[in-house]
Amino acid sequence: IDTPGHAAFTAMRARGAEVTDIVILVIAATDGIMPQTVEAIDHAKAAGVPIVVAINKIDLPDANSQVARQRLMEHGLVSEEFGGDVQCVDISALKKTGLDTLLEAVVLQSELLELKGDATLRAEGVVLEAQLDRGRGPVATVLVKTGTLHRGDTVVAGTVMGRVRSMLNERGENLKEAGPATPVRLVGLSAVPSAGESFHVVESERVAKQIIAHREDERRAAPEAVSRPQISLEDLFAQAEGEGPLELNVVVKADTQGSAEALRESLLAIESDKVNLSVIHSAVGAVTESDVQLAKASDALVIGFHVRADNAGRKTAEQMGVDIRTYQIIYEAID
């Protein structure tokens, strides 16, 4: 399961480190250690997961894998060549050099860790990613951690439930069942679950509804998290007089949970003395009429990432004068 290397996808890399047994850290023999590399090492250490290092791009003329090994030592990863216990493998993804050796290193590591899963249990696992598919409805990419997931099983993920209508593997092939360590795209949920949510199979729909009702009661009882900065009366008076920072409210819609999360965090990380930016809502799917109405009520800008407005959303935006900006590249949205 690959996680993006872009700075915005911190949460996705953290989830990746938490759900896996072995991390393959890919670094370039030309660039060496980047800020995201250090962050990925920290995530793996925090999750207590062993690392196998793949030093990529060794086919390039300026590649120097020894320098990369030396730089890794600064971050507590000492390769076997330097007397440590971290396996470092030189590879070229382009030329497919060293990939067999890399796979052997992963298998060796898994044997040392004695990684095993019981396929006879009811399936449990984690939601890695989730999105709203136009044809299939809510689709979740899940990783089965233990047990076997069967077509027709009733599953619960957070406050979302459903019956497994179909499961697809990474090649788009339909599966009847998925055992431990199998990632699948699962169709049949009632709504889009949150990425990072754990899921498990229950004996019946009735039990699933009971679990969800209990979780919803707990959430309602919990104190609400404040998502936007609280503005004091002084701030409001300053704004009325034309002084102090301006408020920019944003509604974020994206094609996947991971993208919505990454864009939201990137926008909130923009530093400015002149503007307070609040993401008042972020979700998966096309920009809808209700998104536009929320934006109008909050004087917000709507940002669509890899999604567009549906017909009702577009018409309502035109009538209400709400600005919808759509982007395909995260850098452009941030700019």
Side-chain angles (χ1 to χ4, degrees):
I1 295 155
D2 187 18
T3 68
H6 186 279
F9 292 87
T10 297
M12 201 183 284
R13 283 192 290 277
R15 270 202 301 279
E18 283 162 15
V19 302
T20 193
D21 299 299
I22 299 169
V23 166
I24 301 176
L25 182 69
V26 183
I27 61 175
T30 48
D31 300 334
I33 310 297
M34 293 301 203
Q36 279 93 280
T37 313
V38 178
E39 181 209 288
I41 292 168
D42 291 342
H43 284 322
K45 284 180 177 174
V49 181
I51 296 173
V52 174
V53 178
I55 302 175
N56 191 23
K57 302 187 181 179
I58 56 158
D59 54 291
L60 296 179
D62 57 341
N64 190 331
S65 61
Q66 288 305 103
V67 170
R69 283 174 170 78
Q70 287 164 1
R71 292 288 312 282
L72 283 168
M73 291 171 70
E74 296 167 20
H75 302 282
L77 296 183
V78 183
S79 72
E80 290 177 335
E81 294 90 330
F82 296 156
D85 58 358
V86 176
Q87 297 184 82
C88 291
V89 183
D90 291 356
I91 67 162
S92 162
L94 182 69
K95 302 281 173 66
K96 296 185 167 49
T97 314
L99 296 188
D100 289 346
T101 312
L102 177 61
L103 289 174
E104 283 166 15
V106 173
V107 170
L108 176 63
Q109 187 73 60
S110 68
E111 285 172 355
L112 290 171
L113 295 170
E114 295 184 355
L115 298 176
K116 293 181 176 72
D118 188 343
T120 63
L121 304 172
R122 274 199 202 128
E124 288 181 16
V126 68
V127 177
L128 298 169
E129 186 58 284
Q131 65 197 90
L132 199 57
D133 187 281
R134 189 172 288 175
R136 292 181 291 191
V139 178
T141 305
V142 303
L143 175 66
V144 181
K145 295 192 81 174
T146 186
T148 301
L149 185 63
H150 303 89
R151 200 187 297 167
D153 279 351
T154 301
V155 296
V156 174
T159 54
V160 173
M161 60 172 281
R163 177 162 282 185
V164 181
R165 279 210 316 270
S166 67
M167 290 185 289
L168 303 168
N169 66 11
E170 68 275 18
R171 290 182 290 279
E173 297 162 347
N174 265 300
L175 303 180
K176 287 183 178 175
E177 57 181 40
T182 308
V184 288
R185 302 192 81 188
L186 189 152
V187 179
L189 295 173
S190 57
V192 178
S194 298
E197 199 82 71
S198 59
F199 80 88
H200 58 280
V201 171
V202 294
E203 57 263 41
S204 68
E205 221 165 279
R206 187 177 57 80
V207 173
K209 284 175 180 170
Q210 286 172 347
I211 292 168
I212 287 171
H214 176 65
R215 286 178 179 174
E216 283 175 342
D217 288 345
E218 281 186 333
R219 285 189 185 181
R220 277 193 287 270
E224 280 192 26
V226 179
S227 61
R228 65 160 114 177
Q230 295 294 303
I231 299 169
S232 67
L233 283 174
E234 287 82 358
D235 293 339
L236 288 173
F237 288 137
Q239 279 184 333
E241 293 161 9
E243 296 171 11
L246 297 168
E247 297 296 319
L248 174 61
N249 293 330
V250 180
V251 172
V252 170
K253 294 302 289 285
D255 57 336
T256 66
Q257 282 274 358
S259 297
E261 177 183 67
L263 184 56
R264 181 180 179 279
E265 296 305 318
S266 299
L267 291 172
L268 292 174
I270 299 171
E271 291 181 6
S272 170
D273 299 329
K274 297 177 181 175
V275 181
N276 287 333
L277 189 145
S278 306
V279 177
I280 58 170
H281 177 64
S282 73
V284 171
V287 179
T288 64
E289 189 176 0
S290 62
D291 296 323
V292 173
Q293 287 166 344
L294 172 64
K296 178 66 178 173
S298 316
D299 289 330
L301 170 74
V302 181
I303 294 182
F305 187 66
H306 286 236
V307 294
R308 299 194 174 281
D310 62 19
N311 285 336
R314 196 172 62 250
K315 283 177 187 168
T316 310
E318 286 167 6
Q319 288 162 5
M320 293 184 163
V322 171
D323 194 3
I324 300 176
R325 311 275 182 102
T326 56
Y327 300 95
Q328 297 296 313
I329 299 167
I330 203 159
Y331 297 112
E332 290 178 0
I334 297 161
D335 286 345

